[in-house]
Amino acid sequence: MRTHERVLARIEADLAAGRWALGERLPGERVLAEELGVSRPSVREALRVLEAMGIVRTAVGSGPDAGASVIDRPAAGLGAAVRLHVASGTLAVRDVVETRVLLETWAVAEAAGRVGAGSVDAQAVDALLTEASGLLDRMDDPALSATAFHELDASFHLVLVRLAGNALVEAVMTGLRGAVESYVAAGSAGLPSWETTATRLRAEHRGVLAAVGAGDGAGAARAVREHIEGFYREAGL
C-alpha cells in the first residue's frame, strides 16, 4: 500500500468512527503527518483524492476557512469516475443504456409511489414536479436546437431520478449524464428527421411525467423503459 493510501485508509476509518462530522475541519497537514507518521506531501496527495471524491473541500490560506473540511457530495466523486470510464471507452453504449433503464424504471416507480402516498416531504416533491414540467415546457419551443433539446432532456430525466429520493441513484445517474448526452447526440445525427423524433420524445416525456404525477408507478416505469429503448433502437445504436 502506498503512503497516501495509508492516509486515506486512516481518514476513512476515522470518518466511519465518527471522529469528524460533516462541516468539521480536519487537522492540518502537519498534524496529520505527525499522527500518521508520514510526510506532508503524502497527506496533501490523500486530501486531493478526497476532494476529487467529494468527501472534503480544501481552501488555501491561514484564515478560519483554510484547510480541509468534511463535506458529502457523492455525485461529485461517482460522477467523475463514471465519466472517465466512459471517456476511456471501457463502458459500451449498450451498457450505459441498460444501466439507465434499470435505474430510471426503478426511480420513476419510486417517485410515483412517493406522490401517491402523500410523502412527508410533499412540498419538495411538488417543487420537483413543477421543475420537471417547466423543463418540458421549454422543450416545446419549436426553435430549440437539437443540442439545447438534449441538455433539457437530460435535466428532465435527472429531476425524475431526484424525485425518487435516493442520493446514490442520483449520483450514479449524474455520472452517466455525459455518456447519455453523448450517445443521444450521436444517434440524433443519423435520424431521418430529428423534428419528427423530437415531437415523439416530447409526447413520451409528458406521458412519463403524467404517470408519475398520478402515482402510477407501473405505468411510469413502462413508459420510461419504452422511451429510452425506443430511441436506442430508432437511432441504430
Side-chain angles (χ1 to χ4, degrees):
M1 180 181 292
R2 289 178 291 181
T3 306
H4 81 279
E5 292 174 334
R6 286 169 45 207
V7 180
L8 288 172
R10 170 61 182 275
I11 292 177
E12 178 184 353
D14 286 345
L15 287 170
R19 179 181 176 188
W20 299 307
L22 289 179
E24 193 171 346
R25 289 178 60 193
L26 297 178
E29 289 180 6
R30 180 179 58 80
V31 174
L32 281 174
E34 291 176 353
E35 285 185 6
L36 302 175
V38 299
S39 66
R40 292 181 65 175
S42 294
V43 171
R44 197 172 302 124
E45 184 176 0
L47 292 177
R48 289 196 189 103
V49 172
L50 290 171
E51 186 168 29
M53 294 171 64
I55 301 299
V56 303
R57 178 190 296 113
T58 61
V60 298
S62 57
D65 296 325
S69 300
V70 180
I71 60 173
D72 190 4
R73 295 187 299 118
L78 287 172
V82 173
R83 284 195 305 272
L84 286 169
H85 285 296
V86 170
S88 72
T90 57
L91 294 179
V93 171
R94 180 185 180 90
D95 294 340
V96 174
V97 173
E98 289 178 346
T99 302
R100 184 184 175 194
V101 169
L102 177 68
L103 295 178
E104 289 200 42
T105 51
W106 174 86
V108 296
E110 186 71 13
R114 293 179 73 196
V115 172
S119 174
V120 291
D121 53 351
Q123 187 173 359
V125 170
D126 287 344
L128 288 171
L129 288 172
T130 299
E131 182 180 350
S133 180
L135 288 167
L136 296 187
D137 289 342
R138 292 170 61 188
M139 292 170 72
D140 285 339
D141 182 357
L144 199 66
S145 69
T147 299
F149 186 99
H150 297 326
E151 291 176 353
L152 292 171
D153 189 338
S155 296
F156 169 73
H157 282 272
L158 279 179
V159 171
L160 292 182
V161 171
R162 286 167 58 198
L163 269 165
N166 186 301
L168 183 56
V169 173
E170 180 185 347
V172 174
M173 283 304 305
T174 299
L176 285 175
R177 176 170 180 163
V180 170
E181 289 183 340
S182 177
Y183 85 69
V184 168
S188 298
L191 293 170
S193 171
W194 162 245
E195 291 75 16
T196 299
T197 298
T199 298
R200 177 176 59 78
L201 295 178
R202 291 186 182 100
E204 291 174 355
H205 286 148
R206 294 286 182 185
V208 173
L209 185 59
V212 171
D216 180 6
R222 181 171 57 255
V224 83
R225 175 184 290 275
E226 292 173 352
H227 169 69
I228 295 170
E229 293 181 344
F231 178 85
Y232 179 76
R233 289 192 300 269
E234 181 186 15
L237 296 171

